[in-house]
Amino acid sequence: MCGVTGNAQDGNYKVNDLQLKDNKRAQFVKESLKNLILSNEQIEKVGEAFKQEMSSALDEKTSSLQMENTYIPELPNGSEEGTYLALDLGGTNFRIILLELANGEFLKEDFKFYHISDEARLGCGIELFNYLAECVKDFMTLKNMPFDMKIPMGFTFSFPMKQHSLHSAELVTWTKSFNCPSVVGCDVVQLLQTSLRKHGMRNIEVLCILNDTTGTLVEGARLDAKTRIGMILGTGSNAAFLERADRVHHWEGERHGEKNVIIDIEWGAFGDKGTIDFIRTEHDKEVDNGSLLKRSFTFEKYISGKYLGEVVRVVLKSLCDKNLLFTKASKDLFPAPWKFGTDNVSHIEEDALNGCSNTSTVKVLDKFNYRFNIDYDEDDIKVIQYTTALVSYRAALLVSICTSVLLNRMTETDITVAVDGSVYKHHPRLKKWMVQLIKELSPEKNFHLMLAEDGSGKGAGLVSAIAQRINTRNVCITNGNHNNGHAMNGHGKEMNGLGKHMNGHHNGVVNGSNGIHNGH
Ligand code: BGC
């Protein structure tokens, strides 16, 4: 099962075997890259390690996975309504979003992107949070919203955190291209809330903090009630899923009879304790050594957009060094570390879809100033395509193994997996491979991979609405009033009121009459 090479009849399902004019060279290349191909035994061991690390983390034992309790015990039920601000921080750009919900549907989503400079991403954390608050102020100004306006906020913070409640979480470590060491261990909701207050926005209340995978799961569930898993395959990678609450031992504060709770796995760190070192190649070690966060986020370095291009570059470089690639080209043309982005991987892979053409690969090589028939020939193209396919297929396989472990953990047989992220959206074969591989790994499950775009933004609005619903319900329970229905309705009205307030005072703003947004 899950073997790597195949032929054209597989409908591009597998990686085409490498055939070169020079058969000996093909054999050498294949020999050099064979460690990128996982055996069935390794596949099983990765799945087993993931399963065990999940259980250990839930039992509060040593694990590379966080399995973080998000304190979100339910998915959207169609009653979500109100107007919310959302902050979405996770990449080099961050977004502020104004969302309006009614009957579980988005009426409006208005947003603006803000660039985060290197200084802010890699400097003192206080400055980063002050910058976030300045951007909120700018956004409110653009939307004619008074700074003292009372409005709930959802904070999508796509980094590993230790959550204490729905609205309190400490940063465990930065990932991707962020590294402001002084923020590690701090409550990021408090930092944000303090900065907002300091900048005059005293009435914005950060109701919830969530990860982009949680947002994707929640948005996925809004679109398709069978959604139980949210996944991001983008610059970073991670998944969240709906777990039985009785399996979750870490629970700060009171329980209120919750049956389920969303768990943020933080699978990017899978393997940080060495449990999957048996798949680690020399190339992976080299990528790790050159990365911002060494010896951390092992799994992410096999699968995510921040790293896939670099893995391919490092492997190609090793082939050059062995004189198996670009024998005629100048060494200066070869891209420097981290200069071969994952977009190139997707482009090269496009050729595999077009009857093994060369067009996209040639375009990529053009970008680096290589000249066909002078610096490289047909065989070089085939070696590049083969390498790119092997690295991509390994990523698809690893993600599929973990997805299948999650599916097999659930009692439901019909499950939708909501996915978002640049790698998932732009890699031409990844989704196809995943569907096939998950089918092979979880034959008894009927699953569906569904693109849930912008879960990181929309999810913040949905989770804010859910947070308000839960808060109201818990207050009612505490006060001895168990009439949830009334509590929710009453609450809904209150939120509607806020929505009306927004519309009444700033009509047209959320419609984007100033032309800033409408980006969906
Ligand atoms: C972060 C996760 C996030 C993922 C996708 C990872 O680097 O640790 O929290 O969900 O990227 O953005």
Side-chain angles (χ1 to χ4, degrees):
M1 76 175 182
C2 305
V4 74
T5 48
N7 51 37
Q9 280 96 301
D10 292 328
N12 298 314
Y13 160 40
K14 294 189 177 176
V15 176
N16 281 342
D17 194 16
L18 179 67
Q19 280 166 6
L20 303 178
K21 284 184 207 115
D22 177 352
N23 188 38
K24 230 183 182 161
R25 179 177 166 198
Q27 294 314 315
F28 280 132
V29 171
K30 287 205 276 188
E31 180 59 28
S32 301
L33 304 190
K34 69 169 196 268
N35 289 347
L36 290 170
I37 301 171
L38 269 59
S39 67
N40 285 344
E41 196 196 338
Q42 286 178 316
I43 293 170
E44 235 167 76
K45 274 172 72 182
V46 170
E48 206 38 54
F50 187 62
K51 208 159 119 186
Q52 282 195 356
E53 292 225 38
M54 283 211 302
S55 302
S56 299
L58 285 178
D59 292 346
E60 300 193 81
K61 295 185 187 142
T62 310
S63 169
S64 63
L65 301 174
Q66 269 189 239
M67 300 295 280
E68 206 47 38
N69 184 346
T70 64
Y71 298 94
I72 303 167
E74 58 200 47
L75 298 171
N77 64 12
S79 73
E80 295 72 28
E81 59 186 334
T83 304
Y84 304 92
L85 267 180
L87 225 89
D88 179 12
L89 180 72
T92 37
N93 289 319
F94 97 102
R95 274 188 317 162
I96 302 179
I97 313 152
L98 186 60
L99 296 156
E100 203 180 315
L101 272 162
N103 302 320
E105 297 289 330
F106 285 98
L107 298 184
K108 274 162 201 159
E109 186 189 15
D110 187 9
F111 60 84
K112 183 176 173 189
F113 278 103
Y114 292 85
H115 178 67
I116 304 197
S117 66
D118 284 358
E119 295 81 63
R121 274 187 301 107
L122 302 168
C124 153
I126 301 300
E127 272 167 23
L128 173 67
F129 280 85
N130 280 339
Y131 176 64
L132 300 187
E134 277 160 27
C135 295
V136 175
K137 204 164 183 179
D138 172 75
F139 185 82
M140 291 183 90
T141 310
L142 287 169
K143 303 296 158 199
N144 294 323
M145 295 159 78
F147 299 146
D148 60 353
M149 184 174 169
K150 200 167 158 51
I151 186 163
M153 177 181 267
F155 183 18
T156 305
F157 184 72
S158 302
F159 300 96
M161 21 176 185
K162 184 111 225 80
Q163 271 196 253
H164 303 298
S165 70
L166 241 167
H167 52 83
S168 161
E170 283 162 37
L171 172 68
V172 172
T173 173
W174 290 106
T175 60
K176 297 174 277 199
S177 48
F178 280 73
N179 201 3
C180 312
S182 64
V183 182
V184 173
C186 297
D187 187 322
V188 287
V189 176
Q190 264 177 31
L191 287 179
L192 176 64
Q193 193 82 70
T194 307
S195 294
L196 289 171
R197 298 233 159 95
K198 216 167 76 191
H199 286 77
M201 291 157 290
R202 281 171 226 297
N203 294 321
I204 296 181
E205 191 192 354
V206 185
L207 280 187
C208 60
I209 181 155
L210 60 145
N211 180 272
D212 50 0
T213 53
T214 302
T216 304
L217 165 54
V218 171
E219 166 62 1
R222 186 184 72 82
L223 299 169
D224 175 349
K226 289 199 225 112
T227 306
R228 294 290 176 273
I229 299 171
M231 190 188 296
I232 298 286
L233 295 173
T235 309
S237 181
N238 184 18
F241 70 107
L242 196 68
E243 176 60 289
R244 265 174 30 200
D246 64 334
R247 284 177 170 165
V248 182
H249 296 166
H250 183 89
W251 202 297
E252 296 176 35
E254 251 182 88
R255 296 203 189 215
H256 292 93
E258 294 85 354
K259 288 197 173 56
N260 299 302
V261 69
I262 297 178
I263 294 293
D264 169 11
I265 305 174
E266 280 299 339
W267 76 17
F270 177 36
D272 282 6
K273 303 243 177 277
T275 48
I276 53 168
D277 274 359
F278 55 88
I279 63 165
R280 205 160 189 246
T281 66
E282 288 310 307
H283 314 299
D284 299 310
K285 286 181 196 155
E286 193 177 330
V287 171
D288 186 37
N289 277 335
S291 68
L292 189 61
L293 303 146
K294 294 182 192 37
R295 254 330 205 173
S296 118
F297 271 63
T298 308
F299 195 60
E300 189 158 282
K301 288 172 183 161
Y302 293 115
I303 60 174
S304 87
K306 172 106 182 99
Y307 303 100
L308 281 178
E310 179 63 3
V311 179
V312 170
R313 192 198 68 84
V314 163
V315 179
L316 293 179
K317 177 83 176 52
S318 76
L319 294 175
C320 288
D321 293 344
K322 290 180 182 162
N323 227 9
L324 293 169
L325 178 69
F326 293 144
T327 46
K328 290 178 282 181
S330 144
K331 294 239 181 313
D332 297 343
L333 296 179
F334 200 79
W338 305 96
K339 293 288 180 220
F340 190 79
T342 298
D343 51 332
N344 296 310
V345 173
S346 294
H347 291 320
I348 294 171
E349 273 287 288
E350 269 155 28
D351 279 339
L353 290 186
N354 304 326
C356 301
S357 89
N358 291 339
T359 331
S360 302
T361 311
V362 168
K363 272 194 199 146
V364 169
L365 292 174
D366 278 354
K367 274 203 304 198
F368 294 96
N369 292 325
Y370 283 100
R371 291 147 307 163
F372 186 53
N373 271 338
I374 298 175
D375 298 312
Y376 69 98
D377 59 19
E378 291 274 345
D379 273 2
D380 286 317
I381 293 185
K382 285 192 182 140
V383 172
I384 293 168
Q385 291 174 337
Y386 180 69
T387 304
T388 308
L390 283 187
V391 172
S392 302
Y393 187 84
R394 184 180 68 160
L397 178 54
L398 289 170
V399 169
S400 301
I401 296 170
C402 295
T403 309
S404 121
V405 170
L406 289 179
L407 291 172
N408 295 348
R409 192 178 174 85
M410 296 176 180
T411 46
E412 297 94 331
T413 43
D414 256 348
I415 301 166
T416 296
V417 182
V419 198
D420 199 3
S422 51
V423 176
Y424 183 76
K425 284 200 286 200
H426 303 309
H427 191 292
R429 291 202 285 180
L430 190 96
K431 180 179 176 189
K432 232 187 203 172
W433 281 336
M434 281 175 64
V435 169
Q436 286 294 338
L437 289 165
I438 299 170
K439 247 188 223 161
E440 287 183 35
L441 293 161
S442 294
E444 62 297 338
K445 296 288 178 179
N446 188 7
F447 70 94
H448 168 52
L449 300 185
M450 175 184 73
L451 177 67
E453 282 188 288
D454 192 24
S456 59
K458 290 182 171 147
L462 290 166
V463 174
S464 300
I466 292 173
Q468 287 184 314
R469 185 160 77 215
I470 297 167
N471 289 343
T472 311
R473 192 163 63 216
N474 290 348
V475 167
C476 290
I477 291 172
T478 313
N479 294 340
N481 173 0
H482 292 264
N483 192 340
N484 292 346
H486 273 159
M488 268 156 42
N489 280 341
H491 193 72
K493 272 184 199 131
E494 197 183 312
M495 287 308 300
N496 247 346
L498 180 57
K500 278 186 194 126
H501 168 82
M502 287 288 306
N503 287 338
H505 283 75
H506 313 289
N507 210 3
V509 174
V510 277
N511 281 326
S513 49
N514 52 15
I516 291 163
H517 65 92
N518 277 345
H520 222 61

